[in-house]
Amino acid sequence: MTRTRLSTPASLSTTLLCCLYAYFRLYWASVASYSGVKSSTSREDADSEPVTGRAYDEVVIGAEAVNAFTFVQVSDVHASKFANHSHSGGLFHLRSFFQNEMPVLAPAKLLITGDLVDSRARTPFRSQQHAAEWAAYHNLLNESGIFSRPGFAFDLRGNHDCYDTLSLDKSHFANSSITRSPGFNHLFDPGFGQYAFAGFDACPYIGVARPLNFFGVFAKQHLDALEILINNATTDAYNHTFIATHYPASIMIIATRSSSGRTFTSLARHVSFWLSGHLHRLVGDMRMYTRRRGFVELEVGDMKENAVFRLVAVDHDLLSFTDEIVHIRSSGGNGRAPVVLVTNPRDARFASPGREPVHRVRQSTHVRVLVYAFGSATVERVEVVVDHGAKFVKEMTFAGPGDIPKQHMNATGSSLPLFVVQWDPSMFDDGRDHWMKVVATDSEGMTTVKSTVFRVDGMPSKAYRMEVGFGGRIMETDFESLVKVAFVVIHLVVLLFAQVPLVFVNYLDERKELSALYVSMYQCLSLERHVGAEEFALEDGQAPENANISQSTGFRLKYFLAIWTLRLLNFVQCSTLYLPYFVYIHYLIVGPWFLGDFVPSAETLSNGTGLFYVYGVWFSGQTGWVPLLDTWIIALVEQLTFIFPLLFILAHASPFPKNAPHAVASTGFTTTQFVVLVLWILVTGFFGFYALSYDAVSFWMHPQKIWVSACLVGLYWRGFSRDPDDTEEDGLGQADGERDALLEEDE
């Protein structure tokens, strides 16, 4: 390996400018299909379009079971050909829900927000659309009478539903689902207002096989459709607008602006509830709710493992909801406790004064609660307690229309098992949060206790936030910005470690001070070893027999920093190692990382084969760029586990001058080989999914890692097999003549 002076700062700047130009050209080309990333002015646009509160009216919420309806949301069914759906799994839970809970709840609408099927293959890291899974989902809907009720149920695609699909119109979803289209737009008029239900298919427009298919894309056409809906809602005075997507907003790449220039934030603030799924509660009973960007977003748990369903009530346009678990009926009896949902006063943690007529709480005359009993049970007693019974303890009476209906879900009506009790809101109109507890008991002795926070002034709770621990933080996080900023920062750190030593070396070389620096650093290292020994010396000048100078923390840290500074300085002067790495780290932001068969089900290899870039996947022909946040995450992981460590591996392999002190120049064969082996295991452990997911071509046509790793192995094989006495002949000991002369003189 030869040592040569590399670029000057001027030529280095020119190279960096060219790379930055290529970077931005590629980046904007990749995001053109969805109009870029979120704008920093989104908050300003949102604030310039405030959502005005609902106009004051004289509507009084009383004891009659009127002006109210309910709807249900379920998500992440994951019908799987590898699961036993007679005893467990999402399809089993959904069937149980249709048979047991749905006839009693009798909602006006049903929303199924994605991941209808599992689409996994037997081989790890692979995905495949199975006709049997879609047939099982379709048959369950048919058996349950869903298809016989037009306008009742709607479903959306999730990431599992678009795995390994080139387009929606050629997918199983187009033939076996309820909606059979990319989203839905439904206007519901129950006789006392107009309520908009809209769903958006946020899947990438080409369904890449797993695992590069976790994040969604809310593209420019979605923003345009959302803007039309919001404009119609404003013009026609819709009571509420409900939006459904499979992906939460934090898990989507979101376009900058609509065609008319409006941002996602300014439009979403007009939405009453944004309903999503996808995250499966993550861990345990994690609830994920947030008031993100000015609107309430509610992620529902999965039907697959947690068997969660959501009941939403609209009572005199006040919004309430509860997330419940499907009960699996046993042979010993029903065992299902009542479902309780307080509709007035509504839960202050989720209040939206800009979207709800919250003033109606103050002028209401009755507390209103929906209580559902299941099976053969009936509701025996409902009691309400406010502020631990200090001011209010009363038993509620049934006010629903006739007997509590046990309707089959084919019926057209909806069930409102309403219980009411008279109250005086002025007793609690003090601008503070109050606790309400409802205790409902059925005829089989099953009891449900539901607690809620309310405020009479209609404002959101100040003491209790809707965000529930870590789940709320996930919903609040802007993962698109976080991942992209993290990638840029890590890449800049790599550039600094690679470029700053070179600029420093060129600067010292021009001032004829480079050789003197090496001499002083070698002397400093020798002095540090001497000082390290003195730290263990006794008062009489004798060191203890078991003294180990290498255990001195201060010495080890100083020696570590000094030796790695020398290695980095050697690295930037070794053209055989540095120039390829310099080209490599700039290639990463402008060139493809590997070639893969990203859509294995494509009819021809050319249709499904694409190039992996940081910014997404590029397909040939008219398809072009498919922007994916997953590629940014893979690139970020590669930066941390492979690209950055590679810099230090090469610096470790850079030769010291032949006259360097033996303790400095020695790399330690056994230690080095062990370190390289561990690093190799770590980085190659991440190779597997490429070949398993996107065929062997993704392994062999992989310049970003496989080719570089092969070169690295060859480099170390040569270094380990080299005779130390042959360093000068191999060129490994050819340092600057001036520096070697100074070293010899110093010795």
Side-chain angles (χ1 to χ4, degrees):
M1 301 180 203
T2 57
R3 294 177 179 275
T4 52
R5 289 287 173 268
L6 298 178
S7 60
T8 63
S11 61
L12 179 62
S13 300
T14 302
T15 304
L16 290 176
L17 287 175
C18 292
C19 290
L20 286 174
Y21 174 76
Y23 165 78
F24 283 112
R25 290 278 296 184
L26 271 176
Y27 178 73
W28 288 116
S30 68
V31 301
S33 60
Y34 74 104
S35 298
V37 297
K38 288 181 281 294
S39 170
S40 61
T41 61
S42 294
R43 176 59 61 186
E44 298 176 5
D45 294 339
D47 292 340
S48 65
E49 299 181 27
V51 178
T52 58
R54 296 282 288 270
Y56 181 83
D57 53 43
E58 300 296 333
V59 175
V60 176
I61 303 178
E64 299 80 13
V66 295
N67 297 340
F69 72 93
T70 62
F71 66 90
V72 165
Q73 179 198 4
V74 298
S75 188
D76 296 87
V77 179
H78 290 269
S80 173
K81 65 177 295 185
F82 305 114
N84 184 354
H85 289 298
S86 62
H87 297 88
S88 62
L91 210 61
F92 171 70
H93 294 149
L94 186 61
R95 178 179 289 107
S96 298
F97 174 72
F98 283 165
Q99 293 174 349
N100 302 326
E101 278 85 359
M102 183 71 88
V104 177
L105 299 176
K109 301 294 173 186
L110 170 65
L111 308 180
I112 308 177
T113 52
D115 278 358
L116 314 176
V117 297
D118 202 40
S119 301
R120 295 177 184 265
R122 289 191 180 275
T123 306
F125 296 106
R126 291 191 73 92
S127 54
Q128 180 181 352
Q129 294 292 326
H130 302 287
E133 294 179 350
W134 285 100
Y137 172 72
H138 179 86
N139 292 338
L140 175 58
L141 297 177
N142 191 44
E143 294 168 3
S144 303
I146 298 294
F147 291 119
S148 64
R149 298 183 62 183
F152 167 67
F154 305 90
D155 53 12
L156 292 169
R157 287 197 306 167
N159 58 313
H160 284 252
D161 305 318
C162 62
Y163 278 158
D164 195 14
T165 58
L166 280 175
S167 63
L168 185 146
D169 58 340
K170 297 181 180 179
S171 66
H172 291 285
F173 181 85
N175 301 315
S176 302
S177 67
I178 305 168
T179 307
R180 304 189 181 189
S181 62
F184 58 87
N185 189 350
H186 175 72
L187 185 62
F188 176 54
D189 187 350
F192 47 84
Q194 292 182 311
Y195 302 86
F197 291 85
F200 292 92
D201 185 337
C203 291
Y205 59 88
I206 288 186
V208 176
R210 65 186 298 240
L212 297 180
N213 200 338
F214 182 79
F215 292 86
V217 178
F218 203 83
K220 183 178 180 180
Q221 62 265 29
H222 295 124
L223 276 185
D224 291 340
L226 179 60
E227 181 178 15
I228 293 173
L229 176 64
I230 296 302
N231 290 339
N232 291 339
T234 303
T235 303
D236 299 335
Y238 294 170
N239 298 59
H240 281 296
T241 301
F242 301 102
I243 301 296
T245 55
H246 174 67
Y247 307 88
S250 62
I251 311 295
M252 292 191 291
I253 299 177
I254 300 179
T256 307
R257 297 175 183 275
S258 66
S259 298
S260 65
R262 299 184 69 179
T263 64
F264 173 79
T265 303
S266 66
L267 294 171
R269 295 184 73 226
H270 295 268
V271 174
S272 301
F273 274 173
W274 193 291
L275 307 170
S276 61
H278 186 50
L279 296 181
H280 291 225
R281 285 193 170 179
L282 289 183
V283 179
D285 193 32
M286 184 178 294
R287 308 297 177 95
M288 285 176 278
Y289 317 132
T290 186
R291 186 177 282 103
R292 185 174 183 263
R293 302 173 184 156
F295 63 94
V296 175
E297 183 177 8
L298 308 171
E299 194 269 354
V300 68
D302 62 288
M303 184 63 70
K304 176 184 178 182
E305 295 176 348
N306 293 300
V308 179
F309 68 91
R310 170 173 293 151
L311 177 66
V312 182
V314 182
D315 187 0
H316 290 80
D317 286 345
L318 297 180
L319 305 178
S320 305
F321 77 96
T322 179
D323 289 349
E324 303 289 338
I325 305 298
V326 175
H327 176 71
I328 309 303
R329 183 178 298 180
S330 63
S331 58
N334 178 52
R336 169 67 163 165
V339 169
V340 176
L341 178 55
V342 180
T343 63
N344 182 63
R346 54 107 65 248
D347 195 323
R349 290 171 294 181
F350 305 92
S352 299
R355 299 299 308 146
E356 300 175 80
V358 292
H359 61 272
R360 294 178 179 175
V361 176
R362 179 178 278 136
Q363 60 198 40
S364 65
T365 61
H366 288 75
V367 174
R368 295 162 65 94
V369 180
L370 298 178
V371 182
Y372 297 88
F374 297 88
S376 59
T378 58
V379 178
E380 292 289 326
R381 177 183 174 86
V382 180
E383 184 182 65
V384 59
V385 180
V386 178
D387 291 342
H388 309 289
K391 295 182 179 180
F392 193 92
V393 179
K394 291 187 178 181
E395 184 173 349
M396 308 186 76
T397 59
F398 178 65
D403 294 333
I404 299 177
K406 298 291 190 296
Q407 298 167 300
H408 189 271
M409 56 187 302
N410 282 327
T412 57
S414 61
S415 175
L416 281 177
L418 180 64
F419 286 78
V420 298
V421 65
Q422 193 170 10
W423 78 324
D424 182 6
S426 62
M427 296 174 56
F428 311 100
D429 193 4
D430 52 7
R432 298 180 180 179
D433 296 341
H434 296 274
W435 277 98
M436 176 178 288
K437 181 175 72 172
V438 177
V439 181
T441 305
D442 65 16
S443 57
E444 294 186 356
M446 304 296 295
T447 299
T448 297
V449 179
K450 180 72 69 172
S451 297
T452 183
V453 181
F454 74 92
R455 292 172 62 99
V456 173
D457 59 10
M459 299 303 294
S461 171
K462 296 180 179 179
Y464 304 94
R465 293 165 56 88
M466 72 168 69
E467 294 84 359
V468 185
F470 184 63
R473 298 295 178 264
I474 292 175
M475 297 292 287
E476 289 181 324
T477 302
D478 183 353
F479 282 99
E480 179 187 357
S481 298
L482 177 65
V483 170
K484 291 182 177 180
V485 169
F487 173 83
V488 171
V489 169
I490 296 300
H491 195 76
L492 288 176
V493 170
V494 174
L495 288 175
L496 287 175
F497 272 91
Q499 310 291 4
V500 170
L502 177 62
V503 174
F504 185 59
V505 165
N506 286 331
Y507 172 76
L508 292 180
D509 187 56
E510 291 178 358
R511 296 172 61 90
K512 308 298 183 182
E513 297 177 359
L514 182 60
S515 299
L517 173 66
Y518 269 80
V519 172
S520 62
M521 292 195 70
Y522 289 154
Q523 292 174 342
C524 180
L525 286 172
S526 299
L527 178 62
E528 290 293 342
R529 296 185 69 86
H530 177 66
V531 172
E534 288 183 347
E535 291 180 0
F536 289 94
L538 300 178
E539 294 181 359
D540 58 0
Q542 300 294 324
E545 295 181 358
N546 61 348
N548 187 352
I549 63 173
S550 65
Q551 297 302 316
S552 170
T553 304
F555 163 71
R556 296 179 67 183
L557 178 60
K558 294 177 182 178
Y559 188 84
F560 174 83
L561 294 175
I563 197 68
W564 275 105
T565 299
L566 282 174
R567 284 171 175 163
L568 288 173
L569 293 177
N570 288 331
F571 171 55
V572 300
Q573 297 175 82
C574 182
S575 59
T576 308
L577 297 178
Y578 182 77
L579 282 179
Y581 188 78
F582 178 84
V583 173
Y584 173 66
I585 58 177
H586 290 88
Y587 167 84
L588 293 175
I589 61 175
V590 297
W593 288 30
F594 66 89
L595 177 72
D597 186 10
F598 292 101
V599 188
S601 66
E603 296 177 356
T604 62
L605 183 63
S606 59
N607 288 339
T609 302
L611 293 171
F612 178 104
Y613 286 80
V614 175
Y615 328 104
V617 177
W618 185 85
F619 292 89
S620 61
Q622 298 181 351
T623 303
W625 286 101
V626 176
L628 298 171
L629 190 57
D630 307 78
T631 56
W632 287 87
I633 292 181
I634 294 296
L636 176 61
V637 173
E638 293 292 317
Q639 289 270 25
L640 294 172
T641 62
F642 184 79
I643 299 165
F644 200 17
L646 179 62
L647 170 67
F648 294 97
I649 292 175
L650 294 177
H652 189 277
S654 300
F656 281 84
K658 62 180 180 180
N659 290 325
H662 176 72
V664 174
S666 175
T667 59
F669 173 81
T670 304
T671 303
T672 302
Q673 194 172 27
F674 175 76
V675 171
V676 173
L677 178 61
V678 171
L679 288 174
W680 175 255
I681 293 174
L682 290 176
V683 297
T684 54
F686 204 55
F687 288 170
F689 87 84
Y690 293 127
L692 290 174
S693 298
Y694 309 121
D695 292 336
V697 64
S698 64
F699 185 87
W700 300 114
M701 301 301 292
H702 197 132
Q704 178 266 330
K705 180 182 283 187
I706 304 299
W707 296 0
V708 171
S709 298
C711 294
L712 182 62
V713 171
L715 169 68
Y716 265 88
W717 179 265
R718 181 189 179 198
F720 289 148
S721 61
R722 187 182 68 245
D723 188 342
D725 296 333
D726 297 335
T727 56
E728 187 171 0
E729 296 179 3
D730 289 342
L732 295 173
Q734 296 180 6
D736 297 319
E738 181 184 356
R739 182 178 62 197
D740 290 344
L742 285 173
L743 286 170
E744 292 174 357
E745 181 180 348
D746 179 67
E747 292 178 353

